[in-house]
Amino acid sequence: MRQIFCSGAFIGMVLLFGIAAYADSTVVRSEYLYETAPFPSVHASTIEQSRDGNLIAAFFGGQDEGEDDVGIWVTRQINGKWSPPIEVANGVQADGKRHPCWNPVLFQPSSGPLLLFYKVGPRPSTWWGMLKTSTDNGVTWSEATRLPDGILGPVKNKPVELPGGVLLSGSSSEHDGWRVHFERSPDLGKTWELIGPVNDGAEFSAIQPSILKMGGEKLLAIGRTKQKAIFQIGSEDSGKTWGKMTAGSLPNPNSGTDAITLSNGKHLIVYNHTIKGRSPLNVAISDDGVNWKVILVLENEPGEFSYPAVIQTKDGHVHITYTWNRKKVRHLDITSPLFN
């Protein structure tokens, strides 16, 4: 039995797969996406359920973050086992010069191909957005398309699909302070509308939003800051305009988060519950996207456990991937009555 304290309240937890969890949460599976790979360093994973019902994951891998050899690697879960990672994108330019790749985002819209967004460039302040598509659930991929100037695509976390098939992506830039903006595409990434930035980069240095669906046209975006707290900002009109950015109730050590709205309308976030370092890594749940209750502690040993990605699959399970000490990507399959 493990016990933790959160927001002054005592929470009894049990140990499952080395993970502290509520007794009514079940860790069905805990594993690494690979045991060996042709790259020493990995980061920024993304996970999705493809149209055939299988899981697919991607991440960037190479010598180290920001090195020119870093590419985008994909692995697919086939008959319950993850395939060896395959590099599906790199930063080689027409003149032969190679730049690092960054932050892949997989997304399966309700219609159309599987989408793979990623970034290419020397550093986040100068990178640009790229897009590949797959019509066979990630077995093969199209040639890469560069997104329009000023459009990065979803910068770390998934877009949400709005009525009519409109994709709304949470994005951000780092060349003029850390500033959040949003990008709408009515045609699966062919054309885009830029909204924002929605903060000045001074009061809040914020990036990498996740978008939660609050009912009707109401949305809430939350994410990473340098201000030791997760930011929050709301929209009343499906993301066309946004209110004022404020500090949320959860801590943030300037590290990536991810959050989703579950099928039952509750909201779930994966984040580092600290203001310094990248451990522990927690899961919390909320009715309103503002007040949160911790339900899992995924990691609490010294190390880096960061940049989570989270989805809910059609069977109601929650799947999480995250960076494990920059050496591997860990995958968890979790069930709970809280999710459905």
Side-chain angles (χ1 to χ4, degrees):
M1 175 73 69
R2 282 189 183 180
Q3 301 167 339
I4 70 167
F5 288 88
C6 178
S7 301
F10 176 76
I11 303 173
M13 291 191 170
V14 296
L15 196 64
L16 298 168
F17 291 93
I19 299 164
Y22 271 122
D24 59 356
S25 297
T26 300
V27 182
V28 178
R29 191 168 185 171
S30 174
E31 63 190 351
Y32 298 113
L33 295 186
Y34 60 86
E35 290 297 333
T36 61
F39 45 82
S41 180
V42 65
H43 196 37
S45 63
T46 177
I47 187 170
E48 181 60 294
Q49 184 174 39
S50 53
R51 202 175 299 284
D52 62 2
N54 292 319
L55 296 175
I56 182 169
F59 40 82
F60 71 68
Q63 287 298 313
D64 200 3
E65 179 177 355
E67 297 293 332
D68 290 347
D69 73 319
V70 172
I72 303 299
W73 297 74
V74 164
T75 174
R76 298 164 54 237
Q77 196 181 71
I78 305 168
N79 297 322
K81 295 184 178 180
W82 292 97
S83 62
I86 297 174
E87 189 178 49
V88 301
N90 59 48
V92 176
Q93 305 301 295
D95 61 3
K97 183 174 177 55
R98 181 165 179 165
H99 294 298
C101 295
W102 312 76
N103 293 16
V105 177
L106 288 163
F107 185 69
Q108 178 63 71
S110 59
S111 63
L114 179 65
L115 307 178
L116 172 62
F117 297 94
Y118 61 101
K119 273 59 69 185
V120 172
R123 60 193 63 85
S125 60
T126 58
W127 63 18
W128 55 89
M130 302 290 292
L131 172 62
K132 285 194 168 197
T133 62
S134 175
T135 58
D136 55 11
N137 304 303
V139 177
T140 61
W141 294 90
S142 69
E143 292 296 317
T145 300
R146 181 166 173 166
L147 300 181
D149 288 347
I151 299 293
L152 295 173
V155 79
K156 176 192 173 291
N157 302 321
K158 282 183 172 48
V160 294
E161 186 169 352
L162 303 176
V166 173
L167 298 187
L168 179 67
S169 298
S171 198
S172 53
S173 59
E174 301 181 30
H175 65 279
D176 185 23
W178 281 20
R179 306 177 75 184
V180 169
H181 66 269
F182 298 89
E183 300 168 356
R184 291 171 59 97
S185 176
D187 47 19
L188 302 182
K190 296 182 178 66
T191 62
W192 296 88
E193 175 191 2
L194 177 66
I195 300 166
V198 297
N199 65 302
D200 62 10
E203 182 180 6
F204 285 96
S205 295
I207 56 174
Q208 300 173 352
S210 298
I211 303 172
L212 304 176
K213 296 181 177 181
M214 310 306 293
E217 295 190 344
K218 294 183 179 180
L219 302 172
L220 182 71
I222 60 178
R224 171 182 179 179
T225 77
K226 295 181 180 180
Q227 276 69 42
K228 300 181 180 181
I230 288 172
F231 79 79
Q232 58 189 29
I233 188 169
S235 173
E236 302 281 337
D237 55 9
S238 297
K240 297 183 181 70
T241 61
W242 293 83
K244 179 177 173 56
M245 184 175 288
T246 60
S249 60
L250 294 176
N252 184 252
N254 188 15
S255 184
T257 66
D258 197 12
I260 56 171
T261 300
L262 298 167
S263 59
N264 63 2
K266 293 181 183 291
H267 313 287
L268 183 144
I269 186 170
V270 191
Y271 69 107
N272 294 111
H273 192 91
T274 179
I275 60 171
K276 185 178 181 180
R278 293 188 171 183
S279 180
L281 185 67
N282 285 17
V283 179
I285 200 163
S286 173
D287 291 326
D288 58 8
V290 177
N291 300 291
W292 297 89
K293 178 190 294 183
V294 174
I295 62 168
L296 291 162
V297 181
L298 305 182
E299 303 277 1
N300 61 8
E301 302 298 323
E304 179 179 344
F305 311 107
S306 63
Y307 263 58
V310 59
I311 60 169
Q312 184 176 34
T313 47
K314 295 175 182 177
D315 59 6
H317 289 214
V318 165
H319 292 263
I320 298 169
T321 58
Y322 59 90
T323 298
W324 189 87
N325 284 318
R326 298 277 178 150
K327 296 177 180 178
K328 294 181 180 179
V329 176
R330 196 172 189 189
H331 164 243
L332 301 174
D333 176 354
I334 303 165
T335 64
S336 172
L338 298 170
F339 299 164
N340 299 289

